Amino acid sequence: MGLPSLRTKLVADTDLGAGNVLAKLREHGVSPDEPTITFDVEVDGHPAWTALTLGELESRVAARAAWLEGHGIGRRDPVAVYVTSAADVFLNYLALTWLGAIPALMNGNMPGDVAAGYIQRLGAAAVITAAAHRDFVGSADTVFAAADTGTGDPARAPAHFHHHADDPIAITHSSGTTRVPAPVVHSHSSLFAAVRAIRLAEPRSHEPVRHMSALPAAHAAGIITLNQALCNRYELLCLSAQGGPFGHNGAAVVDAIERWRPTGVFGFAVTWAEIAALDLSARDLASVRVWFNTGDCAHETHVRRLIAAGSHPTWTRQGLVTVPGSRFTDGIGSTEMGHSAFHVTHREGTDHYDRCVGKPYPFADVVLLDLDTGEPVADGEVGHVGLKSPTLAPGYWNDHVNTYRNRLGGYYLTGDLMYRTEAGCYHHVDRAVDAVELGEGQWLYTALAEERILARCPDVRDCTVVARREGTEVDTDVLLILASGADPAADRTERIRAAIGGPAGATVRRAVVVSEDDIVLGPTGKVRKFLMRQRHLAATR
């Protein structure tokens, strides 16, 4: 079947959603011999770095569905999946949704003590876990080894569960940067809404599409990336471990690019920071046409380095030729949003920076609110982001309090602070919990301060702004990770004040050079600023 015909059928199929993509592809006549997903680990004897055909993928999922059903798992059972490989995440996710169960996907980098408490709060019927995590889930009543679930007989798998649009099909968790990870439930329709609205309608590339995901597989964005590749018949490589203590070492991602030659790469902002720190002139990234970012807004200095790499086709008098330079599509989002609500594309010659996140997708109704009045703020004024979208998660699992606390006037409050320009472009300045009021209408926006430091101080590779309040006074320390070759003994305090500017810059007490080990990260590589504040302030009292 031709792709345009398939995509037309998928868009028209109102029963299609995030819980039944595999079944629907077969129902609509996709050949079982078509290549689909590649993993960087062996799958039931299938070699790593070799694509599974649709038929092979379906067989491996069916084996797990049969095994899990045989071990008592069925409709509506929440099952925690605490594993380390992308293959174990996605194959068990697909198998559990096959049964109508609810996979609760956990980042494999979540610390064991945090994971144990999280699983308990889920009320999980069972836990599927990797051998490395077995000791952390010993209190769970039913624990399955991920290595065992693939040993079932595919022929004994039951019929695929028929999902309703509102059925829960996955629980993923927030990054835990502001508190412990929160379990977020997604529905059959919500986690597929963006794929239906934009990914199945976007123009098809004239050349073969090979996407590589360096996203954590257990994140909502990982599921969306999987489903949009399957529906668009793209080849997709899912990386399990990107290296480093939190799985985000840029060299490992670049190694995979050189080996697999993707045309597009998905990742979080931390991934681009790691890649940008490398000498990219010595690496072969020519296959990459576009970089896709979600989660936190990416930094200008990292984006500029990436779009200078890669290549893209263009028409000349000599015809279609490939020239240096790539695109970077930035889409700030969160687990609760289900999919990025905004998008902006950077390339050589564009200048939409200073934390510009672009404009909303057509499916997103965005408003910037004054929480005191509940009314929208004027253009140019900073407000709290309110969102209405079919992609929104229905709420937090087992937590009605926070589900409803974050709603106002029919909008979900994302926790982000932004302003909108007269041209309709949105700029992200900070998370609400990290912004510090300075008085007389002035604020220190930590994320915007970090952005401006990185853009104006080329010898700084990364930084974290840590502010403390003593009465009415605010003091700010800026923790710097230096670029290779930078002088660690140099006093950069005045340069940092000037880079931030205004009253916010005047709060800077000192700039401190630190090592990467001094930065507290969550499982997805985001800086845990509230813990950074506690640790740093305790050390400076």
Side-chain angles (χ1 to χ4, degrees), residues 483-509:
S484 177
D487 180 8
D491 185 354
R492 294 172 172 81
T493 304
E494 286 302 324
R495 290 175 54 207
I496 297 302
R497 289 187 183 121
I500 297 173
T507 68
V508 174
R509 180 178 63 160

Side-chain angles (χ1 to χ4, degrees), residues 524-536:
T524 61
K526 290 185 180 180
V527 176
R528 303 192 70 185
K529 287 191 175 181
F530 76 105
L531 286 181
M532 287 294 301
R533 284 192 290 269
Q534 292 176 351
R535 175 188 289 185
H536 186 68

Side-chain angles (χ1 to χ4, degrees), residues 434-440 442-446 465-478 497 500 502-510 533 537:
D434 295 324
V436 181
E437 187 174 7
L438 302 179
E440 299 182 354
Q442 298 295 322
W443 287 79
L444 166 62
Y445 296 118
T446 61
V465 171
V466 180
R468 70 173 176 181
R469 179 183 296 279
E470 293 285 349
T472 60
E473 299 297 319
V474 174
D475 288 328
T476 302
D477 287 352
V478 181
R497 289 187 183 121
I500 297 173
T507 68
V508 174
R509 180 178 63 160
R510 59 176 183 163
R533 284 192 290 269
L537 298 181

Side-chain angles (χ1 to χ4, degrees), residues 57-406:
L57 178 62
E58 185 180 40
S59 174
R60 294 302 84 219
V61 173
R64 286 162 173 79
W67 192 95
L68 288 164
E69 185 193 45
H71 286 76
I73 300 302
R75 178 174 61 88
R76 293 293 184 274
D77 285 334
V79 178
V81 181
Y82 183 34
V83 294
T84 54
S85 79
D88 281 338
V89 171
F90 287 134
L91 294 176
N92 284 296
Y93 160 77
L94 293 167
L96 289 164
T97 54
W98 185 310
L99 299 175
I102 310 169
L105 307 182
M106 300 170 59
N107 191 299
N109 294 315
M110 187 185 293
D113 58 336
V114 177
Y118 180 83
I119 291 168
Q120 185 175 23
R121 290 195 302 277
L122 284 174
V127 181
I128 300 172
T129 188
H133 295 150
R134 182 62 181 83
D135 291 344
F136 300 130
V137 297
S139 60
D141 292 336
T142 305
V143 180
F144 303 140
D148 293 338
T149 62
T151 61
D153 180 359
R156 298 181 66 85
H160 203 291
F161 179 77
H162 182 78
H163 289 89
H164 181 270
D166 296 335
D167 283 346
I169 53 84
I171 299 167
T172 63
H173 58 77
S174 65
S175 60
T177 53
T178 57
R179 54 193 175 108
V180 296
V184 179
V185 61
H186 306 277
S187 74
H188 184 58
S189 61
S190 71
L191 208 54
F192 196 76
V195 178
R196 183 186 298 279
I198 55 177
R199 301 308 177 195
L200 285 173
E202 61 190 1
R204 177 70 174 179
S205 172
H206 71 278
E207 59 184 2
V209 176
R210 287 165 63 86
H211 283 167
M212 186 183 91
S213 176
L215 295 164
H219 196 279
I223 299 173
I224 293 171
T225 300
L226 173 74
N227 281 334
Q228 72 184 28
L230 288 171
C231 290
N232 277 300
R233 312 309 306 129
Y234 299 157
E235 289 191 61
L236 176 68
L237 167 65
C238 299
L239 295 184
S240 298
Q242 292 85 47
F246 289 92
H248 295 283
N249 184 279
V253 177
V254 172
D255 288 345
I257 292 172
E258 291 181 325
R259 175 172 182 167
W260 200 70
R261 312 297 295 164
T263 57
V265 181
F266 290 84
F268 282 159
V270 64
T271 307
W272 318 129
E274 293 287 349
I275 293 176
L278 303 173
D279 178 8
L280 298 182
S281 66
R283 308 304 297 262
D284 182 5
L285 305 180
S287 69
V288 179
R289 304 294 197 243
V290 59
W291 314 86
F292 299 96
N293 177 64
T294 190
D296 287 342
C297 178
H299 291 300
E300 173 186 350
T301 183
H302 304 149
V303 173
R304 287 191 182 277
R305 294 215 59 200
L306 289 167
I307 61 177
S311 66
H312 68 278
T314 189
W315 286 99
T316 68
R317 292 180 178 179
Q318 290 73 39
L320 188 65
V321 298
T322 299
V323 297
S326 54
R327 294 178 288 122
F328 188 100
T329 297
D330 202 351
I332 189 172
S334 67
T335 305
E336 294 88 341
M337 291 164 69
H339 187 277
S340 304
F342 303 87
H343 64 106
V344 63
T345 297
H346 304 284
R347 56 174 59 87
E348 292 282 3
T350 61
D351 196 29
H352 303 298
Y353 291 107
D354 204 32
R355 297 191 68 78
C356 176
V357 297
K359 297 183 177 182
Y361 281 111
F363 59 73
D365 175 5
V366 175
V367 64
L368 302 183
L369 296 170
D370 179 331
L371 294 191
D372 291 332
T373 66
E375 296 298 320
V377 301
D379 284 350
E381 294 184 13
V382 173
H384 293 255
V385 177
L387 175 66
K388 294 179 182 178
S389 171
T391 66
L392 277 175
Y396 296 102
W397 186 259
N398 287 341
D399 189 354
H400 286 87
V401 172
N402 282 305
T403 293
Y404 292 110
R405 176 176 287 142
N406 295 312

